Amino acid sequence: MRRTSLRFDADTRHCLFLALYWPLYGLIFYAAEHLFRPYRYHVMHCALDDVIPFCEVFLIPYLFWFVYLLGIHLYTFFTNRPAFRRLMWFIILSYSIGLVFFYCYPTVQFLRPTDFPRDNILTELMAAFYRHDTNTNVCPSLHVVGAMAVWYAARDTKLFAHRGWRLFFHTSTFLICISTVFLKQHSAIDVLVGFAVSYSVYLLVYRRQEFRVPAHSYRQKKRMSY
């Protein structure tokens, strides 16, 4: 596998330009959380939420999400620029859809426990997390969308096609997605909408490329038909 040059050529500048979406997203999301005052919030809740218990162990995969997302960005940037560009376009489109949801259909959830069933380091960390993280703008779950972004990007690279890596990414993505409901950060509805957004953007960014036939292949098929 050929490593990408660190020189600031046109390809590098283009990738860095795409990466600038992250601070832009951060500013718009901050405004949605702290400056935007909607007339009403839509409460996200379903019967499944009442069945799922709070389990602080899922804080581990929930926080691993940050390393997971950063890691795939760094890996693809330095080793596979086309995969990095597809990853960034997936992020740009899916997270922008999330922002449209936050401003046009503001949501809130009231699933967080008032008292934890156990007292340990994980519940203490979770209590601190609750104090600093709002319970608004939860649908779609961007934790789910980000985890799916990593999964799709991993499928887009040759190294991660090996069985061991596939198992790692499948397991990690699954645990991150379900951690959002076991920590009462999201309703099951938020997770399902997150999957829907992810798959829709996947069709735009990744799937259409799978069906793209190179021009020389088309010419070869045309000659064979005569």
Side-chain angles (χ1 to χ4, degrees), residues 21-22 25-26 28-29 32-33 62 65-66 68-69 90-102 107 136-150 176-177 180 185-187 189-195 197-198:
Y21 174 79
W22 278 115
Y25 162 79
I28 300 173
F29 179 74
E33 287 279 88
Y62 189 86
W65 176 85
F66 295 96
Y68 199 51
L69 195 57
F90 181 93
I91 292 292
I92 290 169
L93 293 174
S94 59
Y95 273 57
S96 295
I97 292 172
L99 290 173
V100 171
F101 267 86
F102 299 159
T107 53
T136 56
N137 299 316
V138 292
C139 185
S141 168
L142 294 187
H143 233 70
V144 168
V145 174
M148 295 305 296
V150 177
I176 289 170
C177 290
T180 62
Q185 284 288 86
H186 287 279
S187 165
I189 299 173
D190 309 331
V191 174
L192 292 177
V193 176
F195 283 139
V197 170
S198 299

Side-chain angles (χ1 to χ4, degrees), residues 144-177:
V144 168
V145 174
M148 295 305 296
V150 177
W151 189 55
Y152 290 134
R155 291 176 55 189
D156 197 28
T157 61
K158 289 184 178 180
L159 173 64
F160 298 138
H162 295 285
R163 182 176 300 175
W165 279 115
R166 286 205 307 270
L167 178 62
F168 167 76
F169 282 102
H170 277 87
T171 304
S172 298
T173 301
F174 174 74
L175 290 175
I176 289 170
C177 290

Side-chain angles (χ1 to χ4, degrees), residues 190-210:
D190 309 331
V191 174
L192 292 177
V193 176
F195 283 139
V197 170
S198 299
Y199 185 69
S200 300
V201 177
Y202 159 75
L203 293 177
L204 291 173
V205 175
Y206 291 102
R207 193 66 183 273
R208 69 174 185 174
Q209 196 146 324
E210 295 174 10

Side-chain angles (χ1 to χ4, degrees), residues 97-117:
I97 292 172
L99 290 173
V100 171
F101 267 86
F102 299 159
Y103 281 95
C104 297
Y105 190 80
T107 53
V108 64
Q109 56 92 353
F110 299 108
L111 302 170
R112 295 176 175 180
T114 54
D115 295 302
F116 293 112

